Amino acid sequence: MKRFRLAVEVLESRGYEVVGSCMDGTRHVSAPAGRRAEELTELLTDPSIRAVVPPWGGETAIDLLSLLDFGRLRAAEPTWFVGSPTCRHCSLR
C-alpha cells in the first residue's frame, strides 16, 4: 500500500489528478470485477479524462474483458490506456 500511495503522490505532485474508486491499494483486487469493469468503461468514455493508467496488470485485468461495455467504448473518443506489460491483453482494437 505504501508504494501505491507514493505513486499517487508523485503523480499529483506533477499536476495530474488521480481519480477512481476501485483503487484504494489495500488489497490485490479492490472491488468486484463488475464494478471494476464499470469504472474502467466510465473512465475510458469520459471526454475529460485524457489517459487511464491502471494500477494493476493482466492477472486482474483479464477478469474485466467480458464485462466491458464495448458499445460505449466504440462510440467514445479514444483515450490513452497504458499500464504494465501484462496489461496488454486489455488493449482494445
Side-chain angles (χ1 to χ4, degrees):
M1 186 156 132
K2 281 183 180 180
R3 285 178 18 171
F4 175 77
R5 297 239 184 266
L6 177 61
V8 169
E9 287 174 16
V10 167
L11 289 169
E12 290 176 338
S13 74
R14 294 181 179 178
Y16 296 100
E17 181 182 2
V18 178
V19 298
S21 61
C22 293
M23 54 172 216
D24 63 10
T26 58
R27 298 178 308 237
H28 177 67
V29 177
S30 58
R35 176 64 195 121
R36 290 182 289 131
E38 179 183 317
E39 181 171 87
L40 181 57
T41 300
E42 290 169 10
L43 294 172
L44 289 170
T45 58
D46 182 335
S48 71
I49 294 178
R50 304 300 308 228
V52 175
V53 184
W56 37 257
E59 187 175 328
T60 56
I62 196 72
D63 299 337
L64 308 183
L65 287 178
S66 65
L67 302 172
L68 294 173
D69 185 339
F70 286 98
R72 283 181 60 199
L73 293 173
R74 251 188 308 281
E77 290 294 318
T79 300
W80 284 97
F81 181 68
V82 296
S84 67
T86 57
C87 196
R88 71 181 166 262
H89 30 306
C90 271
S91 295
L92 306 173
R93 296 183 180 178

